[in-house]
Amino acid sequence: MRARGYSLRTEKTYIYWIKQYIVFHKLKHPSSMAAQEVTAFLSHLAIRLGTPLPLTYCNLAGTLERYKSY
């Protein structure tokens, strides 16, 4: 990620969200999941954390996009 110019803090944030996503789905690899799993995770975050869904979606979508590109 740093080769693409991301800061260490951004890298750590992306890694945190990727880990949370994988753990939520019982260690299932993200490449084997589809939109349903993303929606379930985002809904869980919105309910548990009280985070507005659009904000949560924006953060996670960026993270997952970065994950898929590596």
Side-chain angles (χ1 to χ4, degrees):
M1 282 188 211
R2 280 188 228 139
R4 292 186 157 205
Y6 296 117
S7 71
L8 180 59
R9 184 177 172 110
T10 301
E11 180 180 340
K12 287 181 179 183
T13 300
Y14 285 170
I15 291 170
Y16 171 80
W17 282 111
I18 291 167
K19 286 180 181 179
Q20 292 300 310
Y21 181 71
I22 293 169
V23 168
F24 177 77
H25 289 292
K26 299 179 173 86
L27 305 180
K28 192 174 174 185
H29 195 276
S31 66
S32 66
M33 294 186 260
Q36 292 173 326
E37 287 85 2
V38 173
T39 302
F41 182 63
L42 294 176
S43 297
H44 169 73
L45 290 179
I47 293 167
R48 187 187 75 167
L49 300 177
T51 306
L53 194 55
L55 177 60
T56 304
Y57 175 74
C58 181
N59 291 332
L60 184 63
T63 302
L64 292 177
E65 189 59 37
R66 301 294 185 271
Y67 179 79
K68 288 179 184 179
S69 67
Y70 292 101

